């Protein structure tokens, strides 16, 4: 059984529901099993009449509308919770796919009376996803989410840095630390969270320095060291949820890949410069 790390957790406002969601170390966006039933306003209890499917699509009359893709997405994903326990969730794409299933079944007059309320909820969810989706797609296609009003430094800092620090969450996945330790030939103990002081310098140089100009400087102002040389919070706790954190997470994912392709620190530095410096040059040309 393959089990992934949970790198980020949160609550998603979708339509008229709030559901728990997470991002795993493999980049997959998931929802908890409970959230799947909550979002469709349906009790979790129910007879699984079709083996291998959650009960919300387990009725036999829905079988003609279940695609191979939906069958694949229905497979639970196992991951570690922050307390170390293993739990299961579903690929978040299952929500719009279930909406499509019920709406198509409704178009074919194939639903039971007891299933009609799910169609109503599916319509609400589809409209909510459409509103959020088109905004996110345009922002991503244009680079807007990382570059909003980038002609003014203060506007960038406001977009990236939150006025009030966020509740602590592990923004740097375990894989990040494992790869650094591997590159430098250090023994990695996942139970020991006291890392070498060099990690702070490494993170500043290869992560925070690659956020827009001025962001790291402002983070140091908002999150100063105390008399013992220790910061009371993590820098990422001050990043905004809509721009700062997504940029950070995307950068870390790419950085881990560069580390995985490197055998030692020197090779990593060369690979890093080749990948990230060329990316920055491309962005400036665009």
């Amino acid at each position: 059984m393959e089990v992934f790390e949970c790198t980020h957790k949160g609550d998603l406002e979708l339509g008229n529901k709030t559901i728990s969601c997470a991002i795993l170390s493999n980049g997959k966006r998931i929802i908890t099993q409970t959230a799947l039933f909550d979002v469709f306003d349906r009790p979790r209890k129910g007879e699984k009449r079709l083996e291998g499917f959650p009960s919300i699509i387990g009725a036999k009359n829905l079988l003609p509308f279940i695609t191979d893709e939906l069958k694949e997405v229905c497979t639970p994903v196992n991951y570690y919770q922050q307390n170390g326990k293993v739990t299961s969730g579903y690929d978040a794409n299952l929500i719009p796919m279930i909406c499509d299933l019920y709406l198509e079944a409704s178009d074919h007059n194939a639903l039971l009376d007891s299933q009609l309320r799910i169609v109503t909820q599916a319509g609400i969810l589809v409209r909510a996803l459409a509103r959020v989706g088109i905004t996110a797609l345009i922002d991503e296609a244009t680079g807007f989410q990382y570059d909003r009003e980038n002609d003014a430094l203060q506007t960038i800092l406001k977009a990236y840095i939150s006025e009030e620090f966020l509740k602590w969450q592990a923004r740097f996945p375990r894989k990040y630390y494992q790869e650094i330790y591997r590159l430098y030939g250090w023994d990695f103990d996942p139970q020991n969270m006291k890392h070498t002081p060099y990690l702070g310098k490494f993170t500043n140089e290869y992560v925070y320095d690659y956020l827009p100009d001025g962001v790291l400087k402002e983070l140091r102002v908002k999150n100063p060291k105390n008399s013992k040389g220790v910061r009371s919070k993590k820098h990422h706790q001050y990043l905004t949820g809509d721009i700062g954190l997504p940029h950070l997470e995307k950068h870390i994912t790419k950085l881990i890949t560069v580390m995985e392709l490197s055998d030692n620190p020197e090779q990593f530095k060369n690979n890093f410069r080749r990948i990230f410096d060329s990316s920055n040059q491309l962005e400036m040309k665009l």
Side-chain angles (χ1 to χ4, degrees):
M1 179 181 70
E2 189 170 13
V3 184
F4 299 96
E5 296 284 344
C6 173
T7 61
H8 308 85
K9 292 181 65 177
D11 293 320
L12 172 66
E13 299 290 337
L14 187 57
N16 55 356
K17 297 291 180 180
T18 301
I19 60 173
S20 298
C21 58
I23 298 178
L24 304 187
S25 55
N26 63 347
K28 188 177 290 294
R29 275 67 172 169
I30 64 165
I31 55 171
T32 62
Q33 293 194 21
T34 300
L36 177 64
F37 293 90
D38 288 346
V39 77
F40 286 100
D41 200 20
R42 175 190 168 109
R44 188 170 180 176
K45 295 180 180 179
E47 180 186 356
K48 289 189 177 180
R49 285 157 285 182
L50 294 177
E51 188 64 31
F53 296 105
S55 60
I56 193 169
I57 55 173
K60 293 181 180 179
N61 66 305
L62 298 176
L63 184 58
F65 307 99
I66 296 178
T67 64
D68 290 339
E69 184 182 10
L70 179 55
K71 291 178 184 178
E72 183 178 347
V73 174
C74 280
T75 303
V77 181
N78 302 303
Y79 63 97
Y80 291 106
Q81 299 184 80
Q82 290 183 335
N83 61 9
K85 293 183 178 180
V86 177
T87 189
S88 298
Y90 289 111
D91 187 319
N93 288 309
L94 187 56
I95 291 178
M97 293 176 72
I98 289 178
C99 290
D100 287 343
L101 181 149
Y102 272 92
L103 292 171
E104 185 178 358
S106 177
D107 290 341
H108 287 80
N109 297 316
L111 294 179
L112 306 175
D113 289 344
S114 60
Q115 297 170 330
L116 295 180
R117 61 187 179 84
I118 298 181
V119 174
T120 301
Q121 184 64 13
I124 294 173
L125 292 172
V126 166
R127 287 192 292 272
L129 288 167
R131 287 195 296 270
V132 173
I134 191 63
T135 300
L137 286 172
I138 291 176
D139 283 4
E140 181 178 2
T142 61
F144 185 65
Q145 77 270 39
Y146 302 131
D147 216 16
R148 296 176 187 176
E149 300 179 27
N150 62 350
D151 56 331
L153 176 59
Q154 290 304 314
T155 303
I156 292 179
L157 297 180
K158 184 176 180 181
Y160 271 83
I161 300 174
S162 176
E163 288 298 321
E164 297 181 0
F165 64 83
L166 299 173
K167 183 179 178 181
W168 186 87
Q169 292 186 47
R171 297 291 172 183
F172 290 77
R174 181 182 298 180
K175 184 67 173 175
Y176 172 80
Y177 298 106
Q178 286 177 323
E179 287 301 318
I180 296 175
Y181 275 66
R182 180 188 62 78
L183 286 173
Y184 286 89
W186 302 331
D187 292 330
F188 179 75
D189 182 1
Q191 303 302 320
N192 183 9
M193 297 307 295
K194 292 184 178 180
H195 298 294
T196 169
Y198 176 71
L199 279 181
K201 180 180 178 181
F202 182 97
T203 300
N204 283 337
E205 183 175 354
Y206 296 108
V207 178
Y208 289 112
D209 272 345
Y210 277 76
L211 294 179
D213 290 341
V215 171
L216 178 57
K217 180 180 179 181
E218 185 70 10
L219 286 172
R220 286 170 172 161
V221 171
K222 285 184 171 290
N223 189 29
K225 292 182 179 180
N226 59 23
S227 58
K228 296 181 179 180
V230 178
R231 301 185 194 279
S232 62
K233 300 290 184 297
K234 303 291 186 182
H235 276 339
H236 63 72
Q237 289 177 260
Y238 289 87
L239 295 177
T240 54
D242 61 337
I243 298 177
L245 286 175
H247 193 167
L248 177 73
E249 292 159 5
K250 182 178 179 181
H251 180 87
I252 291 172
T253 299
K254 193 173 180 180
L255 176 60
I256 290 174
T257 300
V258 174
M259 287 194 285
E260 289 175 329
L261 295 174
S262 306
D263 295 326
N264 54 60
E266 286 306 313
Q267 191 178 61
F268 162 72
K269 291 174 184 178
N270 290 333
N271 290 338
F272 181 90
R273 285 192 293 267
R274 187 169 70 250
I275 298 300
F276 285 94
D277 288 350
S278 62
S279 295
N280 286 345
Q281 291 171 4
L282 179 61
E283 288 176 5
M284 288 188 287
K285 289 179 181 178
L286 293 175

